[in-house]
């Protein structure tokens, strides 16, 4: 069992620690993307897109280099997103629980929010990578989008199933309270 105060303190600390890091990393990724898409890649094109060592064109090479840089940045963001989603799950657990919280319930909320965070980060990363992937191999951008959509649907179904357990439990609790009220009402009528 985890106390409400422990969850609140840990969640507040993780938000304060991780959210600024995420913002800085996204700004860094945006700047790398901005310079690549609007300066470096067009500059390579203005050079007549020469080949590098006769193997690959300069534009696809620059796109590939920027893709690697953005992958590194997004991996750093991923760690912080995990911390933030755990913190959000802590707040959600507090909002929908009374008293102490079981470790299993907190873990379910964390897993559900983490899955949603994965999807959001993957979509954001795809938006950053799209012009770069298309610069390396145009058809690859479409293939990656189809795979992203399939993966996102599967992950969101998993998140929905995690939260459906909680919703079902709340519905059962509510129906029990209604039944108790029904049982209490006829007895009170008989006494009068």
């Amino acid at each position: 069992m985890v106390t409400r105060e422990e969850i609140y303190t840990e969640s507040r600390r993780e938000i304060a620690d991780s959210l600024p890091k995420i913002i800085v990393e996204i700004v860094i990724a945006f700047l790398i993307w901005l310079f690549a898409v609007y300066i470096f890649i067009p500059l390579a094109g203005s050079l007549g897109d020469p080949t590098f060592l006769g193997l690959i064109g300069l534009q696809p090479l620059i796109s590939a280099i920027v893709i690697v840089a953005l992958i590194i940045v997004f991996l750093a963001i991923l760690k912080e997103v995990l911390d933030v989603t755990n913190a959000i799950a802590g707040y959600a657990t507090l909002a929908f629980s009374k008293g102490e919280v079981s470790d299993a319930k907190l873990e379910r909320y964390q897993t559900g929010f983490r899955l949603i965070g994965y999807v959001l980060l993957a979509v954001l990363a795809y938006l950053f990578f799209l012009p770069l992937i298309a610069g390396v191999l145009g058809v690859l951008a479409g293939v990656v989008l189809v795979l992203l959509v399939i993966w996102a649907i599967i992950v969101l179904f998993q998140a929905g199933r995690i939260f459906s357990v909680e919703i079902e439990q709340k519905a059962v609790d509510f129906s029990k309270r209604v039944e108790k009220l029904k049982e209490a009402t006829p007895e009170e009528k008989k006494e009068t």
Side-chain angles (χ1 to χ4, degrees):
M1 296 301 262
V2 185
T3 65
R4 296 178 69 79
E5 186 61 34
E6 290 172 338
I7 294 172
Y8 178 76
T9 303
E10 180 66 20
S11 295
R12 192 178 75 217
R13 186 184 64 74
E14 285 299 337
I15 292 284
D17 178 53
S18 297
L19 205 54
K21 290 177 185 176
I22 290 172
I23 292 169
V24 168
E25 295 290 337
I26 288 174
V27 169
I28 290 169
F30 179 71
L31 289 173
I32 291 170
W33 177 87
L34 192 69
F35 277 91
V37 170
Y38 289 107
I39 296 173
F40 299 134
I41 294 173
L43 188 60
S46 71
L47 295 174
D49 197 23
T51 59
F52 183 74
L53 301 175
L55 301 174
I56 186 170
L58 196 54
Q59 283 180 318
L61 179 63
I62 291 172
S63 293
I65 291 169
V66 173
I67 286 172
V68 170
L70 287 176
I71 287 172
I72 292 168
V73 172
F74 275 98
L75 287 176
I77 292 172
L78 178 62
K79 185 226 177 278
E80 301 304 328
V81 165
L82 294 177
D83 291 342
V84 168
T85 56
N86 285 344
I88 292 170
Y91 286 133
T93 304
L94 292 176
F96 296 109
S97 301
K98 296 174 184 166
E100 289 188 356
V101 178
S102 70
D103 292 331
K105 183 174 189 173
L106 180 61
E107 181 62 34
R108 278 193 313 271
Y109 273 72
Q110 287 176 338
T111 302
F113 278 96
R114 201 176 301 135
L115 291 173
I116 294 168
Y118 290 155
V119 172
L120 291 174
L121 184 62
V123 169
L124 181 65
Y126 180 77
L127 293 174
F128 273 92
F129 288 116
L130 179 60
L132 303 168
I133 294 171
V136 174
L137 184 60
V139 73
L140 184 59
V143 170
V144 171
L145 178 60
V146 169
L147 293 175
L148 176 65
V149 168
I150 292 169
W151 173 81
I153 290 170
I154 291 168
V155 169
L156 291 174
F157 269 121
Q158 290 174 340
R161 286 189 182 125
I162 288 170
F163 291 120
S164 72
V165 169
E166 296 298 321
I167 293 168
E168 288 171 11
Q169 184 61 43
K170 294 290 183 189
V172 167
D173 293 343
F174 178 74
S175 66
K176 285 180 182 177
R177 279 188 268 145
V178 169
E179 287 298 319
K180 284 182 183 178
L181 286 174
K182 278 185 176 179
E183 292 171 2
T185 304
E187 291 174 6
E188 290 173 358
K189 289 181 180 177
K190 289 178 185 177
E191 291 175 4
T192 56

